[in-house]
Amino acid sequence: MASDKPHMNLAVVGHIDHGKSTTVGRLLFETGAVPAHIIENYRKEAESKGKGSFEFAWVMDNLKEERERGITIDIAHKRFDTDKFYFTIVDCPGHRDFVKNMITGASQADAALLVVAAPDGAMEQTKEHVFLSKTLGINQLIVGINKMDASKYDEKRYEEVKAQISDLVKMVGFNPANIPFIPMSSFVGDNIATHSENTPWYKGVTLLESLDDLVQPELPTGLPFRLPIQDVYSISGIGTVPVGRVETGIMKKGMKVSFMPANKSGEIKSIEMHHEEVPQAQPGDNVGFNVRGIGKNDIRRGDVCGPEEQPPTVAEEFTAQVVVLQHPSAITVGYTPVFHCHTAQVACTFVELLKKLDPRTGQVKEENPTFLKAGDAAIVKFRPVQPMVIENFKDIPQLGRFAIRDMGSTVAAGMCIAVDAKQMR
């Protein structure tokens, strides 16, 4: 069903076991997106497996493997409505192994809800997720200080965690004064939909009110059309159906499009959203679409669809501003980790370290440094090992951000500031 309300994508981020899935389940329940009897069934099933407090979490984690392991693996898309918006939740895994899902998840979000457990406070992944959210272009943040029931609704503990997280978000350029810090318990339901009697000292907004206070980002409809492919299906009677989210521009039925770097062209025959056919789609819309002239094996995840006359840019080399989050030793020329950019995962080589910057001010500290280490910000030239679409952040920010991963963790994140384009025809 199409909605008259503006659409927002919300990433739910935070450390493992801090209550992200339970929070999401609670939001879906409180907004009527999941009926009470379904929650009741989940509760019975959870109790039978000795996981009584997981019923809300199970609303999201309805993959069998996830239930048995008790952790969130894939990114589940669920819809719910508040008074003002309709939201698609991008439920992002918190576990280390799954940061790469978090990256593709957060890069699709308009705002992030950071869930921090009051007893634990800020943990390693809390920091990583805050930093990544910012680098991946999320400008609006809500902080839910969760599991207040486990901290006996102690105002002093709330203030301690709030101070910790304020320092953390300041480091990456968020202003804590603009962020609501909500003391809550997703399991009990405190301060989610209504103000809780357990926190008489808290005078701020509930979680649902904070969601309605978000500002809808201006849709980048004036930019060239870009849609990174998430999956490609072959549906009998219809044909090849790529699936993805429109990042920029307007996608219209009848449009002639190119897929890069596959270098394939076709014409859009139909567009479907929430199981209904639509004549066009705009930024933020998750769609499936059928293209005349494209076979299932012609394109794949990581390719980007754009208009034939303004095809997506395939980089021969590109220059980017990066921040090194963590690395066990020093990064030098020749290092070739995997870049996660929109839905693509491509290994890229550090070909030239151009400048080292002061991470707080952005001023140049050193020209042509010999190495980079954790905490450094720098301008670097990269060469993709295989063809890859990346756009200049200035022109199409949605396709100009990336994260760099190696050995199971996020090494760095950055944005593209110049592209040396490959000639494709």
Side-chain angles (χ1 to χ4, degrees), residues 67-264:
R67 289 198 183 179
E68 279 157 14
R69 291 174 59 189
I71 51 178
T72 311
I73 295 167
D74 205 352
I75 296 168
H77 286 283
K78 282 277 192 291
R79 171 190 171 146
F80 71 95
D81 288 69
T82 61
D83 292 344
K84 193 167 148 194
F85 297 113
Y86 91 83
F87 283 92
T88 303
I89 291 190
V90 186
D91 185 33
C92 296
H95 209 284
R96 263 242 175 281
D97 327 347
F98 311 129
V99 174
K100 59 175 183 294
N101 276 2
M102 148 77 195
I103 290 161
T104 47
S107 63
Q108 301 181 340
D110 301 308
L113 165 60
L114 174 67
V115 180
V116 186
D120 297 344
M123 306 285 278
E124 226 13 73
Q125 283 168 3
T126 315
K127 297 175 188 163
E128 190 174 58
H129 288 190
V130 166
F131 182 87
L132 279 175
S133 298
K134 189 66 180 176
T135 310
L136 292 166
I138 296 176
N139 295 317
Q140 303 185 74
L141 188 64
I142 295 165
V143 177
I145 299 180
N146 193 27
K147 304 195 182 183
M148 283 301 295
D149 52 326
S151 289
K152 303 192 171 47
Y153 301 103
D154 178 18
E155 183 179 6
K156 189 162 148 286
R157 182 59 188 153
Y158 161 79
E159 291 295 348
E160 284 166 8
V161 177
K162 180 179 172 178
Q164 261 184 18
I165 304 293
S166 296
D167 288 347
L168 188 63
V169 300
K170 251 191 256 167
M171 275 164 48
V172 301
F174 284 110
N175 179 355
N178 302 333
I179 297 175
F181 291 83
I182 304 164
M184 64 188 211
S185 164
S186 302
F187 179 55
V188 181
D190 297 299
N191 294 326
I192 305 286
T194 53
H195 288 87
S196 169
E197 291 169 4
N198 293 319
T199 52
W201 42 265
Y202 174 68
K203 300 290 181 261
V205 289
T206 61
L207 183 53
L208 284 178
E209 286 170 344
S210 75
L211 291 173
D212 271 342
D213 286 344
L214 291 169
V215 179
Q216 193 191 18
E218 217 164 282
L219 292 180
T221 47
L223 296 177
F225 163 58
R226 293 290 185 265
L227 180 147
I229 305 297
Q230 282 166 12
D231 279 302
V232 183
Y233 298 102
S234 191
I235 298 176
S236 59
I238 298 175
T240 303
V241 178
V243 172
R245 175 180 189 255
V246 179
E247 289 294 341
T248 55
I250 305 266
M251 174 186 206
K252 291 193 168 105
K253 203 171 144 169
M255 218 175 174
K256 290 196 166 41
V257 290
S258 287
F259 292 86
M260 291 295 171
N263 206 5
K264 297 284 187 219

Side-chain angles (χ1 to χ4, degrees), residues 233-370:
Y233 298 102
S234 191
I235 298 176
S236 59
I238 298 175
T240 303
V241 178
V243 172
R245 175 180 189 255
V246 179
E247 289 294 341
T248 55
I250 305 266
M251 174 186 206
K252 291 193 168 105
K253 203 171 144 169
M255 218 175 174
K256 290 196 166 41
V257 290
S258 287
F259 292 86
M260 291 295 171
N263 206 5
K264 297 284 187 219
S265 300
E267 183 185 320
I268 296 178
K269 284 203 309 203
S270 63
I271 306 169
E272 191 177 275
M273 187 163 120
H274 293 300
H275 307 295
E276 278 184 18
E277 199 170 313
V278 291
Q280 64 173 50
Q282 61 180 23
D285 290 344
N286 288 298
V287 297
F289 57 107
N290 178 231
V291 188
R292 185 182 285 115
I294 296 284
K296 174 154 179 16
N297 299 325
D298 289 343
I299 54 174
R300 59 195 182 102
R301 181 183 169 90
D303 286 346
V304 179
C305 177
E308 213 171 35
E309 67 280 6
Q310 278 182 304
T313 309
V314 180
E316 186 76 59
E317 292 188 330
F318 62 95
T319 304
Q321 182 172 322
V322 298
V323 179
V324 182
L325 282 170
Q326 54 185 4
H327 193 271
S329 56
I331 291 174
T332 54
V333 166
Y335 178 50
T336 309
V338 176
F339 280 53
H340 292 251
C341 179
H342 51 86
T343 58
Q345 298 178 15
V346 177
C348 298
T349 302
F350 282 64
V351 273
E352 204 180 337
L353 308 182
L354 300 167
K355 296 175 166 62
K356 200 184 276 190
L357 310 171
D358 182 326
R360 285 177 303 280
T361 61
Q363 301 299 310
V364 177
K365 268 203 325 202
E366 190 184 336
E367 298 280 350
N368 305 112
T370 46

